[in-house]
Amino acid sequence: MKFAKKNIVLSFLILLQIAFATAYLPINEWLTRSLIYSDDFIVHYSAILTQNELIDEYHSLWGYLPFFRAGSVTHSLLSIDSKGWGIAVRVLTFFLSMEAAFKFAFILSIISIPFILYLAGKNFKFTDTESLL
């Protein structure tokens, strides 16, 4: 596939992801301090707040909190992706509020899905057409 055609298709897929993200969370809400209350985003936001507390107090992302979910280690063992999300939000809080950074990291991850899938296909030596599919 030619370079220009590939970029057009990839750009179109990213625009579709943006449209999907705006259907889920309107653009005017992307950088506000309001939280996302649907699905389980509050649980993830709570985990990020807990991670920030652990970083501030113990300088570590890993820790045991006896009063968090009755002392379960859910966010230590089962939610590895939340560690990356928590670090990304922590870095973004230098520029945005905690709530806006949380939503911005979510939106950025949603928008980047086509690009990541394309690169994964290329990693497995697929052709451009196969990678875009």
Side-chain angles (χ1 to χ4, degrees), residues 4 6 13-14 29 39 45 54 62 82 85 93 101 121 126 131:
K6 174 185 70 172
L13 290 174
I14 290 172
E29 289 289 319
D39 295 331
Y45 183 72
L54 290 172
W62 304 94
S82 289
W85 200 356
T93 55
F126 291 167
S131 296

Side-chain angles (χ1 to χ4, degrees), residues 26-66:
I27 288 179
N28 61 347
E29 289 289 319
W30 283 14
L31 298 177
T32 62
R33 292 185 61 114
S34 64
L35 290 172
I36 305 172
Y37 290 106
S38 60
D39 295 331
D40 59 348
F41 286 104
I42 290 299
V43 174
H44 293 292
Y45 183 72
S46 167
I48 287 172
L49 291 178
T50 304
Q51 287 177 22
N52 278 316
E53 179 183 320
L54 290 172
I55 290 171
D56 290 338
E57 198 167 328
Y58 304 109
H59 308 293
S60 172
L61 277 176
W62 304 94
Y64 177 76
L65 298 176

